[in-house]
Amino acid sequence: MTKKVIYILLILGFFVFAATSCLHKDIPEVEINSNLTQNFVQEHISHAKGKYELIEINGIEYFRSRGNTGKYGGTLSNSTIGEGPKTFNIWNSKDNTSSSLAGIMFEGMFTSDPHTGEVIPKLAKKVEIDSTGKKYTITLRKGLKWSDGKEITADDVEFTYNTIIKQGYGDTSTRDVMTVDGQMPECVKLDKYTIRFTTPKPFAPFLRMLGFAIAPKHIMKSVTDKGKEEFNRFWGVTTNPKEIVTNGAFKLKEYVPAQRVIFERNPNYSMVDSKNNVLPYLDKYVVYIVGDLNNQVLKFEAGELDILPVRGNQVARFKSLEKNSDYKMYNLGAGDGTTFVSFNLNRRQNEKGKYYVNPIKQKWFNDDNFRKAVDYAIDRDFIVANILNGVGMPLYTAEGLSSIFLNENLAKGHPKDINFARKLLEESGFYTDEKGILHDKEGNIVEFTLMTNAGNIERESIGVMIKEDLAELGMKVNFKPIEFNVLVGKLTGSLDWDAIIMGLTGSSLEPNNGANVWYSYGSLHMFNLRQGKDATNKVDLRIWEKKLDELFAKGATILDFSERKKIYDEYQQIVYDNRPFIYLYTPLNIYAVRTKFKNLDPTSLGGVLHNLEEIYIE
Amino acid sequence: MSVLVYIIKRILNAIPILFIVSLISFFIIRLSPIDPLSELKLNPAISPQTLEAEKIRLGLDLPLYKQYLRWGGNFLKGDLGVSTSGELVADRLKERIPNTLLLTGITIILTWLVGIPLGIYAALNWRKPADRIITVFTSIGMAVPSFFYALLLLVLAVKTGWFPIGGLTSFNFSQMNLFHKIFDIIHHLFLPVLVLFTLSLAGLQRQMRGNLLDVLESDYIKLARAKGLSENKVIYKHAVRNAINPMVTLIGFEFAGLLSGAALTEYVFQYPGLGRLVLEAVMKSDINLVMASLMIGSIMLVIGNLIADILLKIVDPRVTME
């Protein structure tokens, strides 16, 4: 008997020991404040610095960096979530991870100013656009070298454009976006450092597109000669890193599958500091490949990572620990992604003569007052405070809050106003019965399905909130998260959906990248997708859809920024008034970076590491 | 001779099994509504032409049975095909298989080296404090979910800084000398091996203990003791040898689990093994990659069982191979 008691005590003791050691002051108590972002994460303010200063040393035209003079050495460790790169051939990368990793090694003739978004020269030193707006004459910097010592010349540019991009080697998305009315711009080499592009008609996004990475002709020519299959395999992840010739600040040192990618400094990089030392300062830049968010946070806390994108639910905790730690947090402001609710505005029938959307529901969804009422019933501030833990902003515009084309007049939006929403519904003949259930003019109960992709916890919680918000109006919303792939099938194939919560990645710099969404025949014109014969037969085009078609066609041809902005302001106004998408929120980008790194200059458009070459360790 | 015939028979038996496995897995994956191109379809920068080209490249435009025949034909020729991102499946597997083998191999060797003696020890000290204490710990080992246990150890690593957070090697691994390299790998392997070790140790130790207890009860052991054989001889020559038979069958399953058994632990520890690769592949419906790993799993199971049966024959002459 006593023996048994002893054993029980022993076992209990073990569990208590195990439990206490786990609980040991893991997470300090932190009050979540809904005004979090306003209160303590101050917007990082940094000033535009304009173009780089050109300086010639030993026949090489360097750009001079604008940060403080630093010193050489050290490593910066970053991370990427997922399976890691699929290729180091940037012209063949089809996924974000590969593109951004290879992007560290390759530069183009132009880049976007991280402060203003303006297009500024990188490998080039100037560009002249003639009065027709179609001819771009570009002069490259002289004497720049590839990491293997060969000079970078107009031949490389001409080869990259005329062979790799134009003939469709590797990933063809660059070619796709450059095509204007089915025609590609022409490219001719004028002399060793000068090159001319001619677009079929004025095409505003083109200058920014000229930022495509330049390929080394002396290496790649023999590969493209062997055909596309060979090119797709070239510089794959099994390549010996020494064979990869780069023109960026770093070159590849080592790739260990599913663990990390290591870059080392490219001694031939094209920038110098104020004392004419060639950049970059850092010896190594390491990108760990981590499987999920939790692991990323753990690795940062254990000191293995130097930089961490901090998620909404972690911001308060990290902020409270910041004072006694070796990192500093930066708020880069709103990201360029958007999240929205959309109703299926499709009024057509499929090939079998069946309506894609039930005709009763069609009437509701196509009723402007109905969508407006939904818009006014949704409490965006509540969503931001509760789901994003305050680390976000309500969104009302089609261009994200960080966009240089944002229509400022609309950005403020409107608060939730349930009475106004009710009034709007009344105007359209909707009424609520004694049980509070909403009926339409003909007496049908207003009930529809709202879908989103399962597994996205944020969107799933938002769905529940919206369901409750709309219940205040008497609408019955059946919220149904489904598998992402199935959802995409419905959005792009069968078109049989009522309402969705979706997100799209936007571009802060180029609204024309979203043209596929807004053109009435666009492949992502989700709220009224046209397939087959419907794509050309535009009978039931709404007036505002027609207007959007015109605006986007016109917007792409105007080169002057302020003229262009007017056009995109108008498109945002139209979307705001007609609400094909009811925008909800945009998260804020918040990063934690170790304080030992100097010359950090995080910006909303450029991120934390846009000036990686001048970052150094004190 | 009979062994050879037996092996050939078994291999022939395995063919329909593998065929059915491949058929079922292929159609389950393909009939599920997962579309490998769905991400591309929602990308504003991808043109319909590019989508069409991708579809043809992946063979998604063919009817289902033709897709299967195409895959099957290539598989028989030893060509595992390309993944949706365009790399050779064989290359991807080659990257990961050695890492997984290292992890599971060490674990299996450790568990057997510790589990068997511990089982014997517990059986010989039946109902004594040593047996009880071992039982308590193995109960805990069996009860704790591996996922949770691994997470706890990760938290320990973060709080103490004693161990690296996941991975297999440090970033400066390539500059280390041999001694440091070995140490670095052991340092990284410690926690994942500990998780797998604790979990499988529990099962193995209990199995061995139970078997030996059964055997110790039997008449021939009593006879041996009555005959006056030394206790060592009774136990190690007669009892253990008989108790080990069921363990040999376990070896077969362990062999099958060499590549797939550690998937969860690999995931938590961000171990660069097969588990993480296959999990991602399933999510993306990367059919060639998933099929290749499923087929390898099935083949390993068939081979594992075969090995176990042959070992059993060696250990126990009474077993016939008919």
Side-chain angles (χ1 to χ4, degrees), chain A residues 396-425:
Chain A
Y396 300 90
T397 47
E399 289 297 306
L401 292 172
S402 61
S403 169
I404 55 177
F405 286 94
L406 173 71
N407 185 338
E408 309 276 355
N409 300 332
L410 304 175
K412 283 228 170 60
H414 54 78
K416 170 174 174 160
D417 188 345
I418 197 82
N419 293 324
F420 183 55
R422 287 204 181 99
K423 217 170 82 196
L424 288 168
L425 287 176

PDB file of all heavy atoms in Angstrom, chain A residues 396-425:
ATOM      1  N   TYR A 396     -10.611  51.557 -47.945  1.00  0.00           N
ATOM      2  CA  TYR A 396     -11.809  51.900 -48.718  1.00  0.00           C
ATOM      3  C   TYR A 396     -11.524  52.032 -50.202  1.00  0.00           C
ATOM      4  O   TYR A 396     -12.421  52.219 -50.997  1.00  0.00           O
ATOM      5  CB  TYR A 396     -12.399  53.215 -48.205  1.00  0.00           C
ATOM      6  CG  TYR A 396     -12.813  53.159 -46.751  1.00  0.00           C
ATOM      7  CD1 TYR A 396     -11.926  53.498 -45.741  1.00  0.00           C
ATOM      8  CD2 TYR A 396     -14.097  52.745 -46.403  1.00  0.00           C
ATOM      9  CE1 TYR A 396     -12.301  53.428 -44.409  1.00  0.00           C
ATOM     10  CE2 TYR A 396     -14.484  52.679 -45.077  1.00  0.00           C
ATOM     11  CZ  TYR A 396     -13.575  53.022 -44.085  1.00  0.00           C
ATOM     12  OH  TYR A 396     -13.953  52.945 -42.770  1.00  0.00           O
ATOM     13  N   THR A 397     -10.248  51.985 -50.580  1.00  0.00           N
ATOM     14  CA  THR A 397      -9.906  52.280 -51.968  1.00  0.00           C
ATOM     15  C   THR A 397      -9.333  51.063 -52.676  1.00  0.00           C
ATOM     16  O   THR A 397      -8.799  50.157 -52.047  1.00  0.00           O
ATOM     17  CB  THR A 397      -8.828  53.376 -52.018  1.00  0.00           C
ATOM     18  OG1 THR A 397      -7.819  53.031 -51.076  1.00  0.00           O
ATOM     19  CG2 THR A 397      -9.410  54.714 -51.674  1.00  0.00           C
ATOM     20  N   ALA A 398      -9.433  51.087 -53.998  1.00  0.00           N
ATOM     21  CA  ALA A 398      -8.945  49.973 -54.799  1.00  0.00           C
ATOM     22  C   ALA A 398      -7.417  49.934 -54.828  1.00  0.00           C
ATOM     23  O   ALA A 398      -6.820  48.873 -54.926  1.00  0.00           O
ATOM     24  CB  ALA A 398      -9.500  50.067 -56.210  1.00  0.00           C
ATOM     25  N   GLU A 399      -6.779  51.099 -54.760  1.00  0.00           N
ATOM     26  CA  GLU A 399      -5.323  51.111 -54.632  1.00  0.00           C
ATOM     27  C   GLU A 399      -4.999  51.095 -53.140  1.00  0.00           C
ATOM     28  O   GLU A 399      -5.667  51.763 -52.346  1.00  0.00           O
ATOM     29  CB  GLU A 399      -4.738  52.373 -55.276  1.00  0.00           C
ATOM     30  CG  GLU A 399      -4.809  52.376 -56.794  1.00  0.00           C
ATOM     31  CD  GLU A 399      -3.996  51.248 -57.427  1.00  0.00           C
ATOM     32  OE1 GLU A 399      -2.806  51.136 -57.113  1.00  0.00           O
ATOM     33  OE2 GLU A 399      -4.566  50.467 -58.211  1.00  0.00           O
ATOM     34  N   GLY A 400      -3.970  50.336 -52.774  1.00  0.00           N
ATOM     35  CA  GLY A 400      -3.628  50.221 -51.359  1.00  0.00           C
ATOM     36  C   GLY A 400      -3.184  51.553 -50.780  1.00  0.00           C
ATOM     37  O   GLY A 400      -2.868  52.496 -51.516  1.00  0.00           O
ATOM     38  N   LEU A 401      -3.131  51.634 -49.449  1.00  0.00           N
ATOM     39  CA  LEU A 401      -2.801  52.902 -48.799  1.00  0.00           C
ATOM     40  C   LEU A 401      -1.359  53.339 -49.047  1.00  0.00           C
ATOM     41  O   LEU A 401      -1.014  54.493 -48.873  1.00  0.00           O
ATOM     42  CB  LEU A 401      -3.046  52.790 -47.294  1.00  0.00           C
ATOM     43  CG  LEU A 401      -4.520  52.648 -46.912  1.00  0.00           C
ATOM     44  CD1 LEU A 401      -4.663  52.350 -45.441  1.00  0.00           C
ATOM     45  CD2 LEU A 401      -5.274  53.913 -47.274  1.00  0.00           C
ATOM     46  N   SER A 402      -0.498  52.401 -49.453  1.00  0.00           N
ATOM     47  CA  SER A 402       0.888  52.785 -49.697  1.00  0.00           C
ATOM     48  C   SER A 402       1.101  53.204 -51.147  1.00  0.00           C
ATOM     49  O   SER A 402       2.174  53.636 -51.526  1.00  0.00           O
ATOM     50  CB  SER A 402       1.809  51.619 -49.366  1.00  0.00           C
ATOM     51  OG  SER A 402       1.487  50.517 -50.193  1.00  0.00           O
ATOM     52  N   SER A 403       0.080  53.059 -51.980  1.00  0.00           N
ATOM     53  CA  SER A 403       0.249  53.324 -53.407  1.00  0.00           C
ATOM     54  C   SER A 403       0.534  54.794 -53.670  1.00  0.00           C
ATOM     55  O   SER A 403      -0.062  55.674 -53.055  1.00  0.00           O
ATOM     56  CB  SER A 403      -1.005  52.907 -54.165  1.00  0.00           C
ATOM     57  OG  SER A 403      -0.944  53.380 -55.479  1.00  0.00           O
ATOM     58  N   ILE A 404       1.430  55.045 -54.615  1.00  0.00           N
ATOM     59  CA  ILE A 404       1.706  56.436 -54.960  1.00  0.00           C
ATOM     60  C   ILE A 404       0.560  57.007 -55.787  1.00  0.00           C
ATOM     61  O   ILE A 404       0.504  58.191 -56.041  1.00  0.00           O
ATOM     62  CB  ILE A 404       3.051  56.575 -55.715  1.00  0.00           C
ATOM     63  CG1 ILE A 404       3.084  55.676 -56.948  1.00  0.00           C
ATOM     64  CG2 ILE A 404       4.210  56.259 -54.809  1.00  0.00           C
ATOM     65  CD1 ILE A 404       4.363  55.844 -57.764  1.00  0.00           C
ATOM     66  N   PHE A 405      -0.374  56.171 -56.198  1.00  0.00           N
ATOM     67  CA  PHE A 405      -1.533  56.632 -56.961  1.00  0.00           C
ATOM     68  C   PHE A 405      -2.799  56.685 -56.109  1.00  0.00           C
ATOM     69  O   PHE A 405      -3.892  56.823 -56.632  1.00  0.00           O
ATOM     70  CB  PHE A 405      -1.771  55.723 -58.173  1.00  0.00           C
ATOM     71  CG  PHE A 405      -0.777  55.926 -59.271  1.00  0.00           C
ATOM     72  CD1 PHE A 405       0.359  55.142 -59.356  1.00  0.00           C
ATOM     73  CD2 PHE A 405      -0.966  56.913 -60.228  1.00  0.00           C
ATOM     74  CE1 PHE A 405       1.281  55.328 -60.370  1.00  0.00           C
ATOM     75  CE2 PHE A 405      -0.047  57.113 -61.242  1.00  0.00           C
ATOM     76  CZ  PHE A 405       1.083  56.320 -61.315  1.00  0.00           C
ATOM     77  N   LEU A 406      -2.640  56.550 -54.800  1.00  0.00           N
ATOM     78  CA  LEU A 406      -3.811  56.517 -53.925  1.00  0.00           C
ATOM     79  C   LEU A 406      -4.660  57.782 -54.067  1.00  0.00           C
ATOM     80  O   LEU A 406      -4.133  58.894 -54.076  1.00  0.00           O
ATOM     81  CB  LEU A 406      -3.341  56.382 -52.470  1.00  0.00           C
ATOM     82  CG  LEU A 406      -4.442  56.497 -51.406  1.00  0.00           C
ATOM     83  CD1 LEU A 406      -5.319  55.269 -51.431  1.00  0.00           C
ATOM     84  CD2 LEU A 406      -3.830  56.679 -50.031  1.00  0.00           C
ATOM     85  N   ASN A 407      -5.954  57.613 -54.164  1.00  0.00           N
ATOM     86  CA  ASN A 407      -6.871  58.754 -54.174  1.00  0.00           C
ATOM     87  C   ASN A 407      -7.129  59.173 -52.723  1.00  0.00           C
ATOM     88  O   ASN A 407      -7.932  58.573 -52.008  1.00  0.00           O
ATOM     89  CB  ASN A 407      -8.185  58.352 -54.857  1.00  0.00           C
ATOM     90  CG  ASN A 407      -9.126  59.527 -55.005  1.00  0.00           C
ATOM     91  OD1 ASN A 407      -9.015  60.513 -54.277  1.00  0.00           O
ATOM     92  ND2 ASN A 407     -10.037  59.414 -55.953  1.00  0.00           N
ATOM     93  N   GLU A 408      -6.418  60.223 -52.305  1.00  0.00           N
ATOM     94  CA  GLU A 408      -6.430  60.614 -50.887  1.00  0.00           C
ATOM     95  C   GLU A 408      -7.824  60.976 -50.386  1.00  0.00           C
ATOM     96  O   GLU A 408      -8.141  60.802 -49.216  1.00  0.00           O
ATOM     97  CB  GLU A 408      -5.502  61.815 -50.667  1.00  0.00           C
ATOM     98  CG  GLU A 408      -4.101  61.655 -51.235  1.00  0.00           C
ATOM     99  CD  GLU A 408      -3.189  60.915 -50.278  1.00  0.00           C
ATOM    100  OE1 GLU A 408      -3.624  60.619 -49.158  1.00  0.00           O
ATOM    101  OE2 GLU A 408      -2.046  60.597 -50.673  1.00  0.00           O
ATOM    102  N   ASN A 409      -8.654  61.512 -51.288  1.00  0.00           N
ATOM    103  CA  ASN A 409      -9.986  61.947 -50.853  1.00  0.00           C
ATOM    104  C   ASN A 409     -10.838  60.789 -50.361  1.00  0.00           C
ATOM    105  O   ASN A 409     -11.750  60.972 -49.573  1.00  0.00           O
ATOM    106  CB  ASN A 409     -10.728  62.630 -52.009  1.00  0.00           C
ATOM    107  CG  ASN A 409      -9.964  63.836 -52.487  1.00  0.00           C
ATOM    108  OD1 ASN A 409      -9.237  64.451 -51.709  1.00  0.00           O
ATOM    109  ND2 ASN A 409     -10.084  64.158 -53.764  1.00  0.00           N
ATOM    110  N   LEU A 410     -10.560  59.599 -50.900  1.00  0.00           N
ATOM    111  CA  LEU A 410     -11.402  58.455 -50.556  1.00  0.00           C
ATOM    112  C   LEU A 410     -10.827  57.666 -49.391  1.00  0.00           C
ATOM    113  O   LEU A 410     -11.537  56.888 -48.756  1.00  0.00           O
ATOM    114  CB  LEU A 410     -11.521  57.523 -51.757  1.00  0.00           C
ATOM    115  CG  LEU A 410     -12.045  58.160 -53.039  1.00  0.00           C
ATOM    116  CD1 LEU A 410     -12.003  57.153 -54.158  1.00  0.00           C
ATOM    117  CD2 LEU A 410     -13.462  58.651 -52.823  1.00  0.00           C
ATOM    118  N   ALA A 411      -9.533  57.880 -49.124  1.00  0.00           N
ATOM    119  CA  ALA A 411      -8.836  56.984 -48.203  1.00  0.00           C
ATOM    120  C   ALA A 411      -9.466  56.978 -46.816  1.00  0.00           C
ATOM    121  O   ALA A 411      -9.444  55.963 -46.128  1.00  0.00           O
ATOM    122  CB  ALA A 411      -7.367  57.373 -48.109  1.00  0.00           C
ATOM    123  N   LYS A 412     -10.033  58.122 -46.404  1.00  0.00           N
ATOM    124  CA  LYS A 412     -10.625  58.197 -45.072  1.00  0.00           C
ATOM    125  C   LYS A 412     -11.868  57.347 -44.940  1.00  0.00           C
ATOM    126  O   LYS A 412     -12.193  56.850 -43.876  1.00  0.00           O
ATOM    127  CB  LYS A 412     -10.961  59.650 -44.751  1.00  0.00           C
ATOM    128  CG  LYS A 412      -9.741  60.456 -44.379  1.00  0.00           C
ATOM    129  CD  LYS A 412      -9.996  61.263 -43.103  1.00  0.00           C
ATOM    130  CE  LYS A 412      -8.708  61.867 -42.590  1.00  0.00           C
ATOM    131  NZ  LYS A 412      -8.088  62.778 -43.589  1.00  0.00           N
ATOM    132  N   GLY A 413     -12.612  57.216 -46.032  1.00  0.00           N
ATOM    133  CA  GLY A 413     -13.790  56.364 -46.040  1.00  0.00           C
ATOM    134  C   GLY A 413     -14.910  56.897 -45.172  1.00  0.00           C
ATOM    135  O   GLY A 413     -15.111  58.104 -45.056  1.00  0.00           O
ATOM    136  N   HIS A 414     -15.605  55.972 -44.556  1.00  0.00           N
ATOM    137  CA  HIS A 414     -16.769  56.350 -43.765  1.00  0.00           C
ATOM    138  C   HIS A 414     -16.908  55.364 -42.628  1.00  0.00           C
ATOM    139  O   HIS A 414     -16.514  54.204 -42.763  1.00  0.00           O
ATOM    140  CB  HIS A 414     -18.019  56.295 -44.639  1.00  0.00           C
ATOM    141  CG  HIS A 414     -18.170  54.965 -45.318  1.00  0.00           C
ATOM    142  ND1 HIS A 414     -18.636  53.847 -44.669  1.00  0.00           N
ATOM    143  CD2 HIS A 414     -17.841  54.551 -46.569  1.00  0.00           C
ATOM    144  CE1 HIS A 414     -18.621  52.834 -45.499  1.00  0.00           C
ATOM    145  NE2 HIS A 414     -18.134  53.218 -46.655  1.00  0.00           N
ATOM    146  N   PRO A 415     -17.443  55.792 -41.486  1.00  0.00           N
ATOM    147  CA  PRO A 415     -17.631  54.846 -40.389  1.00  0.00           C
ATOM    148  C   PRO A 415     -18.840  53.943 -40.648  1.00  0.00           C
ATOM    149  O   PRO A 415     -19.603  54.174 -41.580  1.00  0.00           O
ATOM    150  CB  PRO A 415     -17.883  55.755 -39.190  1.00  0.00           C
ATOM    151  CG  PRO A 415     -18.435  56.997 -39.781  1.00  0.00           C
ATOM    152  CD  PRO A 415     -17.869  57.143 -41.153  1.00  0.00           C
ATOM    153  N   LYS A 416     -18.957  52.936 -39.800  1.00  0.00           N
ATOM    154  CA  LYS A 416     -20.132  52.070 -39.892  1.00  0.00           C
ATOM    155  C   LYS A 416     -21.379  52.898 -39.564  1.00  0.00           C
ATOM    156  O   LYS A 416     -21.358  53.720 -38.648  1.00  0.00           O
ATOM    157  CB  LYS A 416     -19.979  50.934 -38.874  1.00  0.00           C
ATOM    158  CG  LYS A 416     -21.248  50.118 -38.703  1.00  0.00           C
ATOM    159  CD  LYS A 416     -21.009  48.926 -37.811  1.00  0.00           C
ATOM    160  CE  LYS A 416     -22.319  48.212 -37.548  1.00  0.00           C
ATOM    161  NZ  LYS A 416     -22.159  46.851 -37.107  1.00  0.00           N
ATOM    162  N   ASP A 417     -22.451  52.725 -40.339  1.00  0.00           N
ATOM    163  CA  ASP A 417     -23.675  53.487 -40.094  1.00  0.00           C
ATOM    164  C   ASP A 417     -24.857  52.590 -40.415  1.00  0.00           C
ATOM    165  O   ASP A 417     -25.348  52.542 -41.541  1.00  0.00           O
ATOM    166  CB  ASP A 417     -23.682  54.748 -40.963  1.00  0.00           C
ATOM    167  CG  ASP A 417     -24.846  55.661 -40.600  1.00  0.00           C
ATOM    168  OD1 ASP A 417     -25.778  55.190 -39.901  1.00  0.00           O
ATOM    169  OD2 ASP A 417     -24.825  56.829 -41.008  1.00  0.00           O
ATOM    170  N   ILE A 418     -25.313  51.879 -39.403  1.00  0.00           N
ATOM    171  CA  ILE A 418     -26.307  50.833 -39.637  1.00  0.00           C
ATOM    172  C   ILE A 418     -27.661  51.439 -40.017  1.00  0.00           C
ATOM    173  O   ILE A 418     -28.396  50.873 -40.834  1.00  0.00           O
ATOM    174  CB  ILE A 418     -26.392  49.899 -38.402  1.00  0.00           C
ATOM    175  CG1 ILE A 418     -27.094  48.595 -38.757  1.00  0.00           C
ATOM    176  CG2 ILE A 418     -27.070  50.577 -37.236  1.00  0.00           C
ATOM    177  CD1 ILE A 418     -26.202  47.613 -39.410  1.00  0.00           C
ATOM    178  N   ASN A 419     -27.955  52.630 -39.502  1.00  0.00           N
ATOM    179  CA  ASN A 419     -29.243  53.234 -39.831  1.00  0.00           C
ATOM    180  C   ASN A 419     -29.296  53.677 -41.285  1.00  0.00           C
ATOM    181  O   ASN A 419     -30.304  53.503 -41.970  1.00  0.00           O
ATOM    182  CB  ASN A 419     -29.520  54.433 -38.915  1.00  0.00           C
ATOM    183  CG  ASN A 419     -29.730  53.972 -37.489  1.00  0.00           C
ATOM    184  OD1 ASN A 419     -30.320  52.901 -37.258  1.00  0.00           O
ATOM    185  ND2 ASN A 419     -29.225  54.738 -36.542  1.00  0.00           N
ATOM    186  N   PHE A 420     -28.162  54.246 -41.728  1.00  0.00           N
ATOM    187  CA  PHE A 420     -28.077  54.632 -43.128  1.00  0.00           C
ATOM    188  C   PHE A 420     -28.225  53.390 -44.011  1.00  0.00           C
ATOM    189  O   PHE A 420     -28.932  53.408 -45.031  1.00  0.00           O
ATOM    190  CB  PHE A 420     -26.737  55.326 -43.377  1.00  0.00           C
ATOM    191  CG  PHE A 420     -26.565  55.824 -44.772  1.00  0.00           C
ATOM    192  CD1 PHE A 420     -27.508  56.673 -45.341  1.00  0.00           C
ATOM    193  CD2 PHE A 420     -25.462  55.442 -45.540  1.00  0.00           C
ATOM    194  CE1 PHE A 420     -27.347  57.142 -46.640  1.00  0.00           C
ATOM    195  CE2 PHE A 420     -25.300  55.902 -46.835  1.00  0.00           C
ATOM    196  CZ  PHE A 420     -26.248  56.750 -47.385  1.00  0.00           C
ATOM    197  N   ALA A 421     -27.591  52.301 -43.584  1.00  0.00           N
ATOM    198  CA  ALA A 421     -27.680  51.062 -44.350  1.00  0.00           C
ATOM    199  C   ALA A 421     -29.125  50.584 -44.440  1.00  0.00           C
ATOM    200  O   ALA A 421     -29.608  50.174 -45.501  1.00  0.00           O
ATOM    201  CB  ALA A 421     -26.808  49.994 -43.701  1.00  0.00           C
ATOM    202  N   ARG A 422     -29.829  50.667 -43.322  1.00  0.00           N
ATOM    203  CA  ARG A 422     -31.235  50.247 -43.311  1.00  0.00           C
ATOM    204  C   ARG A 422     -32.059  51.106 -44.267  1.00  0.00           C
ATOM    205  O   ARG A 422     -32.917  50.609 -44.997  1.00  0.00           O
ATOM    206  CB  ARG A 422     -31.807  50.370 -41.892  1.00  0.00           C
ATOM    207  CG  ARG A 422     -31.277  49.285 -40.969  1.00  0.00           C
ATOM    208  CD  ARG A 422     -32.240  49.030 -39.799  1.00  0.00           C
ATOM    209  NE  ARG A 422     -31.668  48.005 -38.944  1.00  0.00           N
ATOM    210  CZ  ARG A 422     -31.000  48.269 -37.810  1.00  0.00           C
ATOM    211  NH1 ARG A 422     -30.880  49.514 -37.390  1.00  0.00           N
ATOM    212  NH2 ARG A 422     -30.486  47.286 -37.100  1.00  0.00           N
ATOM    213  N   LYS A 423     -31.778  52.415 -44.230  1.00  0.00           N
ATOM    214  CA  LYS A 423     -32.518  53.341 -45.084  1.00  0.00           C
ATOM    215  C   LYS A 423     -32.310  52.986 -46.558  1.00  0.00           C
ATOM    216  O   LYS A 423     -33.260  52.991 -47.354  1.00  0.00           O
ATOM    217  CB  LYS A 423     -32.060  54.780 -44.804  1.00  0.00           C
ATOM    218  CG  LYS A 423     -33.193  55.790 -44.867  1.00  0.00           C
ATOM    219  CD  LYS A 423     -32.762  57.161 -44.360  1.00  0.00           C
ATOM    220  CE  LYS A 423     -32.043  57.926 -45.428  1.00  0.00           C
ATOM    221  NZ  LYS A 423     -31.298  59.071 -44.918  1.00  0.00           N
ATOM    222  N   LEU A 424     -31.054  52.667 -46.892  1.00  0.00           N
ATOM    223  CA  LEU A 424     -30.747  52.313 -48.282  1.00  0.00           C
ATOM    224  C   LEU A 424     -31.544  51.100 -48.721  1.00  0.00           C
ATOM    225  O   LEU A 424     -32.102  51.056 -49.824  1.00  0.00           O
ATOM    226  CB  LEU A 424     -29.247  52.015 -48.425  1.00  0.00           C
ATOM    227  CG  LEU A 424     -28.311  53.212 -48.348  1.00  0.00           C
ATOM    228  CD1 LEU A 424     -26.873  52.751 -48.198  1.00  0.00           C
ATOM    229  CD2 LEU A 424     -28.450  54.063 -49.605  1.00  0.00           C
ATOM    230  N   LEU A 425     -31.623  50.116 -47.831  1.00  0.00           N
ATOM    231  CA  LEU A 425     -32.363  48.896 -48.170  1.00  0.00           C
ATOM    232  C   LEU A 425     -33.847  49.215 -48.346  1.00  0.00           C
ATOM    233  O   LEU A 425     -34.503  48.693 -49.254  1.00  0.00           O
ATOM    234  CB  LEU A 425     -32.159  47.837 -47.085  1.00  0.00           C
ATOM    235  CG  LEU A 425     -30.778  47.179 -47.066  1.00  0.00           C
ATOM    236  CD1 LEU A 425     -30.660  46.224 -45.898  1.00  0.00           C
ATOM    237  CD2 LEU A 425     -30.490  46.438 -48.369  1.00  0.00           C
TER     238      LEU A 425
END
